[in-house]
Amino acid sequence: MFVVFGASGNVGDATAVRLRQAGRAVRAVVRREKQGDYLAALGCEIVLADLTDRASVAKAIEGADAVQILCPVPRTDPHPADTMRRMIDTAADALRANPPPRILALSDYGAELEHGTGITLLFHHIEAQLKPVMSHLTFLRAAEHMHNWGRVIPAALAAGVLPSLHHPLDKLFPTVAAQDVGRLAADLLMDDDPDGEISPRIVSIEGPRRVSALDIAHTLSELSGRAVAAQALPHEAWTPMLLRAGLSANHAQLIVDLYDTHNDGRIDVEEGVGERRFGTTPLAEVLAALLPHVETAAS
């Protein structure tokens, strides 16, 4: 049995689909029953669990041959770092008590850094907490997800300006499609690793090519038929913009710290460590899939 936490999310959905296509039994773990409807139609067993509740996590991993675990970012939480640490600690406790043969944790570029990385520091925490688990352990570190740009697309199309926290605008940075992360996660979970049990196994993934904020604005212009120009948002405007987007002050600070570190060149693949993989989905394909949802919401 392959247990996939966060199975209704962009990455988890792709993992579950890939595993089912390979004929594997999948237990899809979601927070709300309605989230499991599509996955149940694929033949997944649906289990409800809350990562802050150890008993529900323990029940979800019963009899598992492999577990994919993540720490979702609670977007509306006034204290997201505290909540994420609690979720990580709860999941790690349950996995230590009943370790499955295989664990894959979804992590991020920069997770090896111990301080100053904002929200990425929570992925450092999940790696640190899971390392003592006696199991074959894989950390799948992903670059920034392309679909995250969907949050600013409506405003960008309306104003013709794409605000960017990436400075300078022509700086190339790694990014990846969520579906490529999910598919690779499934493949790694099914990989028997015939060359030996290296644990933790660290695998990093990014897209087929690095992009800049200028590239994203240009691609959005071509896809939408509207002129969109990238704009480097002044540092003093970062927090007000994030607050207007509905983030709490604590969450906004985590994002500011992350992009400060990004712009210093410290968030990247950890050179010389583990394996590197490259997704095949281009930026244009991801943005093209997002546009109809944006236009429907605006109409």
Side-chain angles (χ1 to χ4, degrees):
M1 175 66 71
F2 287 74
V3 177
V4 180
F5 282 83
S8 63
N10 293 309
V11 174
D13 175 89
T15 301
V17 169
R18 184 81 146 200
L19 290 170
R20 290 297 300 138
Q21 288 173 340
R24 304 304 178 99
V26 175
R27 180 180 297 152
V29 184
V30 295
R31 289 198 65 182
R32 292 179 292 276
E33 190 170 355
K34 190 173 182 180
Q35 292 174 319
D37 291 348
Y38 164 71
L39 296 159
L42 294 176
C44 298
E45 175 190 346
I46 307 301
V47 171
L48 302 183
D50 181 346
L51 281 172
T52 63
D53 176 44
R54 188 182 184 280
S56 69
V57 175
K59 183 177 180 180
I61 65 172
E62 285 180 0
D65 299 303
V67 171
Q68 178 169 304
I69 194 72
L70 82 167
C71 184
V73 179
R75 186 173 172 81
T76 59
D77 196 303
H79 303 285
D82 293 342
T83 300
M84 288 176 73
R85 286 192 185 93
R86 188 163 67 253
M87 288 191 287
I88 291 165
D89 294 345
T90 298
D93 284 348
L95 289 165
R96 276 193 293 266
N98 184 22
R102 288 182 178 275
I103 300 172
L104 182 144
L106 298 173
S107 188
D108 264 19
Y109 274 26
E112 75 279 5
L113 302 176
E114 297 181 2
H115 57 83
T117 60
I119 206 157
T120 297
L121 191 60
L122 279 304
F123 295 96
H124 177 81
H125 186 62
I126 195 172
E127 291 193 8
Q129 287 295 93
L130 289 179
K131 281 178 183 177
V133 177
M134 299 304 294
S135 178
H136 179 92
L137 176 62
T138 299
F139 296 134
L140 178 53
R141 294 177 180 170
E144 177 180 320
H145 287 192
M146 296 174 183
H147 75 270
N148 288 347
W149 287 91
R151 298 169 187 164
V152 298
I153 286 178
L157 293 179
V161 174
L162 180 74
S164 175
L165 306 189
H166 286 285
H167 294 183
L169 292 176
D170 61 354
K171 180 194 72 173
L172 296 177
F173 57 88
T175 185
V176 68
Q179 61 262 40
D180 286 344
V181 180
R183 292 166 188 156
L184 176 58
D187 292 344
L188 293 172
L189 284 169
M190 293 186 288
D191 186 0
D192 291 330
D193 195 16
D195 296 328
E197 294 289 318
I198 300 171
S199 188
R201 181 182 185 183
I202 298 175
V203 182
S204 300
I205 181 171
E206 60 185 80
R209 71 179 186 91
R210 296 194 167 195
V211 300
S212 68
L214 294 175
D215 293 325
I216 293 168
H218 177 72
T219 303
L220 191 54
S221 295
E222 287 196 327
L223 291 171
S224 67
R226 307 181 196 179
V228 178
Q231 179 186 72
L233 197 67
H235 195 277
E236 63 271 16
W238 290 10
T239 297
M241 182 195 73
L242 293 168
L243 294 176
R244 287 195 301 273
L247 300 188
S248 67
N250 289 322
H251 196 161
Q253 188 59 54
L254 291 173
I255 301 301
V256 169
D257 291 345
L258 168 62
Y259 278 93
D260 279 339
T261 310
H262 236 306
N263 293 336
D264 285 342
R266 295 178 58 217
I267 299 287
D268 209 322
V269 66
E270 186 178 11
E271 290 292 345
V273 174
E275 309 159 42
R276 291 191 70 181
R277 305 291 180 88
F278 296 88
T280 58
T281 306
L283 174 69
E285 184 175 323
V286 173
L287 295 185
L290 290 172
L291 275 177
H293 301 286
V294 170
E295 292 166 350
T296 299
S299 61

